[in-house]
Amino acid sequence: MFSISPVQAMNFDGHNIYIKRDDLLHSDFSGNKARKFYHFLHHDYSHVTQLVASGSAQANSLYSLSVLAKQQGWKFDYYVSHISDFLLQHPQGNYAAAILNGANIINVSHLDDAENLVGMHLDDAMQCIVSSDPNYTDKNQILFIPEGGRCEYAETGIAQLATEVIQWAQDQHKNNLQVFLPSGTGTTAVYLNKQIIQQLAQLALTEVLIIEVLTCSTVGGDEYLRQQFAKLVDEIYFPKIINDGHKYHFGKLSRRCFDMWNTVCRSGIEFELLYDPVGFLVLQHYLNNNTVNATDILYIHQGGVLGNKTMLPRYQRKFSDTV
């Protein structure tokens, strides 16, 4: 059982907001990965001998899954579409830590039948490989986790996050609260919104406590995010998507993002460099262009700062005049 993550006040661009410090939940299962993989730590998976997952070579989920597999004594195969030459020559961050935990990281583009996998979504390619590879003998002993932990199992831990948010709002008399978090696959945001709606209804608090979940896309745009939501829940549970009119390319270095990251880190809280800069840029635009004076903002810090070990040097090399 993870402890309840603390909430910390922060001044952001002249606005008083609150930070839900999910980054402090656990050193190995930081932030939304602690929530997403909570289910596997608290249910019986004694029949499982192997974990198979997919994602990027520097994903936060890669490291957290490697810890999960090591703890449970599972073999762990992790499929990626690309590994940079620099990372292969200089292993670091999530990639290096996962390898130390025993992760077998497989580059799909280097497989013998790679040409047959061209154009496939990485999750589909992973399933295709496993179904035809004789090394995967007993499929019933394999636990599959899709990219980013986007699966129904994630709801178990996110339900606990919803409970914590509701309890904090009650304790602090925050009767009109907007909860904001940037999204990749949108799994955390959509399950959080669903659970808050359902739990408020169960507690008969719908009329006295208003909690709205806001999110923004960091991958693929707003329509992509809605498509991801639709794979998990009914439309009535979709959180509100906001944007600042900019198109963000996931992982692409941006001066605006780097400047924002440096700004928010001066608060004394370290944020990560992939999602949080986009989140704060969109939040800044939202706060400066909407009447939200009567509304409190709770920003969910989803962790992932281990990835800064590789992202920060890239930013420093590109924008050396700022460091």
Side-chain angles (χ1 to χ4, degrees), residues 108-175:
V108 171
S109 65
H110 289 175
L111 296 176
D112 292 340
D113 58 345
E115 60 183 25
N116 297 323
L117 306 173
V118 174
M120 279 191 183
H121 187 279
L122 188 56
D123 285 337
D124 295 330
M126 172 183 71
Q127 292 281 357
C128 183
I129 293 165
V130 173
S131 65
S132 59
D133 191 333
N135 292 317
Y136 295 104
T137 53
D138 191 342
K139 306 300 189 292
N140 293 323
Q141 295 179 350
I142 298 174
L143 174 62
F144 291 95
I145 298 182
E147 185 172 7
R150 190 193 65 233
C151 57
E152 68 275 12
Y153 302 115
E155 189 169 4
T156 304
I158 296 170
Q160 178 59 35
L161 173 59
T163 299
E164 292 177 26
V165 168
I166 292 170
Q167 188 62 57
W168 179 82
Q170 288 182 286
D171 292 345
Q172 300 297 317
H173 307 291
K174 306 297 185 184
N175 297 326

Side-chain angles (χ1 to χ4, degrees), residues 243-261:
N243 64 67
D244 64 354
H246 287 267
K247 177 73 172 180
Y248 295 98
H249 300 277
F250 188 69
K252 184 176 180 179
L253 304 187
S254 158
R255 173 63 74 109
R256 293 179 70 246
C257 286
F258 192 44
D259 288 346
M260 177 55 75
W261 181 80

Side-chain angles (χ1 to χ4, degrees), residues 212-231:
E212 181 181 24
V213 176
L214 311 177
T215 192
C216 68
S217 176
T218 64
V219 182
D222 294 358
E223 184 54 36
Y224 166 83
L225 196 50
R226 292 187 189 94
Q227 292 171 3
Q228 302 311 301
F229 292 162
K231 294 177 180 179

Side-chain angles (χ1 to χ4, degrees), residues 52-251:
V52 178
S54 65
S56 77
Q58 278 291 24
N60 299 321
S61 57
L62 166 57
Y63 174 62
S64 290
L65 286 171
S66 74
V67 174
L68 175 64
K70 185 177 180 179
Q71 285 186 355
Q72 305 287 31
W74 299 335
K75 295 179 181 178
F76 178 33
D77 285 351
Y78 186 84
Y79 288 88
V80 301
S81 59
H82 173 72
I83 306 176
S84 70
D85 290 338
F86 180 84
L87 190 59
L88 286 171
Q89 295 167 13
H90 309 281
Q92 53 191 292
N94 290 314
Y95 176 80
I99 290 175
L100 287 175
N101 283 332
N104 178 30
I105 302 173
I106 303 165
N107 188 342
V108 171
S109 65
H110 289 175
L111 296 176
D112 292 340
D113 58 345
E115 60 183 25
N116 297 323
L117 306 173
V118 174
M120 279 191 183
H121 187 279
L122 188 56
D123 285 337
D124 295 330
M126 172 183 71
Q127 292 281 357
C128 183
I129 293 165
V130 173
S131 65
S132 59
D133 191 333
N135 292 317
Y136 295 104
T137 53
D138 191 342
K139 306 300 189 292
N140 293 323
Q141 295 179 350
I142 298 174
L143 174 62
F144 291 95
I145 298 182
E147 185 172 7
R150 190 193 65 233
C151 57
E152 68 275 12
Y153 302 115
E155 189 169 4
T156 304
I158 296 170
Q160 178 59 35
L161 173 59
T163 299
E164 292 177 26
V165 168
I166 292 170
Q167 188 62 57
W168 179 82
Q170 288 182 286
D171 292 345
Q172 300 297 317
H173 307 291
K174 306 297 185 184
N175 297 326
N176 193 357
L177 180 67
Q178 290 184 321
V179 182
F180 178 78
L181 64 163
S183 285
T185 63
T187 302
T188 302
V190 77
Y191 278 143
L192 180 59
N193 193 52
K194 176 187 174 183
Q195 282 295 321
I196 286 176
I197 290 172
Q198 291 184 344
Q199 291 184 33
L200 286 176
Q202 291 167 0
L203 296 168
L205 292 173
T206 304
E207 300 299 323
V208 296
L209 189 59
I210 299 172
I211 302 179
E212 181 181 24
V213 176
L214 311 177
T215 192
C216 68
S217 176
T218 64
V219 182
D222 294 358
E223 184 54 36
Y224 166 83
L225 196 50
R226 292 187 189 94
Q227 292 171 3
Q228 302 311 301
F229 292 162
K231 294 177 180 179
L232 297 172
V233 303
D234 294 332
E235 189 172 353
I236 59 171
Y237 296 123
F238 286 12
K240 180 178 180 180
I241 302 174
I242 60 176
N243 64 67
D244 64 354
H246 287 267
K247 177 73 172 180
Y248 295 98
H249 300 277
F250 188 69

